[in-house]
């Protein structure tokens, strides 16, 4: 079959963000940020307080780090050595869902089962030692309302999590209870941070001039250090929950997908940009091109990555991936069009994400010259998705113009674990 060229072109246009719109998004994001600092009800950003500033880089000691943010949970024993150095002594990792075996994130799962499982992983990380005292830092990558560094209540699940009995609860209380039930009384959870905060702490532990931390993976979100200039308040990292930014005009695929999602109306930017959702949008557009409007084929962002990477003349990988997911055999131009569609969705994602970074940079500069800085980013989309990094750089140039050379991005790989250990160390102050 050959795609309807007119329809194809329309879909590409719907997923394209030109320079004017890019500037508009960055400006709107900055506006929401400013509004949010004055009165959070006036903003689509949650502006959540983390009760932590930047580390000195000299934090030391051995800590437990629990990294709970997506389908994989990790518990690490980390030795902070100061001077930005650290050592991972032990690492335990397990998925929260193993098809056919267990599922702690689906509809039928409960808080008790989930935290019981996690407490079991903590036990493995301390190798059954129930005597040595450990402080535990917990990177919990969901929107949480904090009143101090320990006390974080889950506001709402994101990333399609559906476990019962966690929303509205203090997550570290659930963890403590589960640890106690296993006789683990020597591990004391003392800090909860968002994964974006963990990335920022980890990057700032190692180098100066980092004020923004971001996750660009299954989920997407960004935090930054708010200086609270001219106010009594000490500088503090704010978790924006930028995935909830709602001022980008959605296209009809975004609207339709949102309607069918676990939490309609929530996480509008995240549903346009993060790895969990790009494949879904691609699957909807593909169905329409195949004459099956309204259907959604299941593709993942890894499929999209493999589609984009196929440089063979016959686009053999593209054909195979499409056949596997849709049962359809495509040839010729259709295959390059499929690649173009995947690329366009990835490029859109990178552009909107960058617009939010620049909104923050403008807000931090407050009309003064933009500061030299590195934006710390962790996550599979940033790290591995073809076209992501280069389009972030391109969009930074488009938006920042002469200031662009002052800003770059750095990969903070595994920052969630290290950041949790740093937060545990900082909790002792
Ligand atoms: C969550 C954020 C998190 C991000 C990246 C989003 O779904 O709401 O809290 O930082 O995913 O993991």
């Amino acid at each position: 079959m050959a795609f309807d060229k007119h329809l194809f072109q329309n879909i590409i246009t719907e997923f394209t963000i030109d320079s004017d719109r890019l500037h508009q998004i960055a400006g709107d994001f900055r506006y929401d940020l400013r509004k949010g600092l004055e009165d959070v009800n006036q903003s689509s950003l949650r502006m959540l307080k983390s009760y932590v500033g930047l580390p000195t880089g000299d934090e030391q000691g051995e800590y437990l780090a629990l990294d709970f943010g997506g389908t994989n949970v990790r518990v690490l024993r980390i030795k902070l050595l100061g001077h930005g150095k650290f050592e991972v002594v032990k690492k335990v990792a397990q998925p929260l869902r193993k098809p056919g075996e267990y599922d702690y994130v689906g509809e039928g799962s409960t808080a008790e089962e989930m935290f019981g499982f996690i407490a079991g992983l903590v036990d493995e990380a301390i190798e059954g030692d129930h005597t040595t005292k450990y402080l535990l830092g917990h990177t919990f990558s969901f929107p949480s309302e904090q009143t101090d560094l320990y006390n974080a209540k889950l506001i709402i699940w994101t990333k399609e999590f559906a476990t019962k009995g966690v929303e509205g609860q203090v997550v570290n209380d659930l963890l403590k209870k589960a640890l106690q039930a296993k006789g683990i009384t020597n591990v004391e959870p003392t800090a909860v941070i968002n994964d974006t905060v963990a990335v920022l702490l980890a990057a700032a532990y190692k180098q100066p001039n980092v004020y923004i931390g971001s996750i660009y993976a299954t989920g997407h979100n960004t935090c930054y250090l708010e200086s609270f200039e001219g106010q009594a308040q000490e500088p503090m990292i704010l978790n924006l929950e930028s995935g909830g930014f709602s001022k980008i005009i959605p296209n009809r695929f975004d609207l339709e997908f949102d309607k069918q999602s676990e939490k309609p109306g929530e996480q509008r930017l995240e549903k346009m940009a993060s790895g969990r959702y790009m494949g879904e949008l691609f699957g909807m557009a593909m169905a329409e091109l195949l004459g099956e409007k309204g259907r959604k084929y299941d593709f993942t962002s890894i499929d999209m990555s493999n589609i984009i990477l196929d440089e063979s003349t016959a686009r053999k990988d593209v054909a195979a991936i499409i056949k596997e997911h849709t049962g359809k055999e495509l040839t010729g131009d259709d295959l390059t069009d499929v690649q173009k569609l995947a690329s366009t969705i990835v490029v859109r994602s990178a552009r909107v994400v960058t617009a939010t970074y620049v909104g923050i940079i403008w807000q931090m500069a407050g009309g003064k010259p933009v500061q030299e800085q590195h934006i710390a980013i962790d996550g599979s989309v940033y790290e591995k998705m073809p076209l992501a990094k280069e389009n972030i750089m391109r969009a930074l140039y488009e938006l920042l113009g002469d200031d662009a050379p002052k800003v770059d991005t750095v990969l903070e790989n595994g920052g969630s674990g290290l950041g949790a250990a740093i937060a545990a160390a900082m909790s002792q102050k």
Side-chain angles (χ1 to χ4, degrees), residues 141-143 158-159 194-196 215 219-221 241 267 270:
S141 320
F142 301 91
T158 55
K159 294 178 269 208
N194 185 258
D195 51 354
T196 56
I215 298 283
H220 169 61
N221 183 20
E241 286 297 326
Q267 302 298 99
E270 184 169 56

Side-chain angles (χ1 to χ4, degrees), residues 228-248:
F228 292 108
E229 212 181 286
Q231 298 176 43
Q233 157 95 59
E234 293 272 293
M236 187 192 278
I237 302 172
L238 297 180
N239 164 17
L240 298 179
E241 286 297 326
S242 59
F245 181 58
S246 66
K247 311 236 160 100
I248 307 176

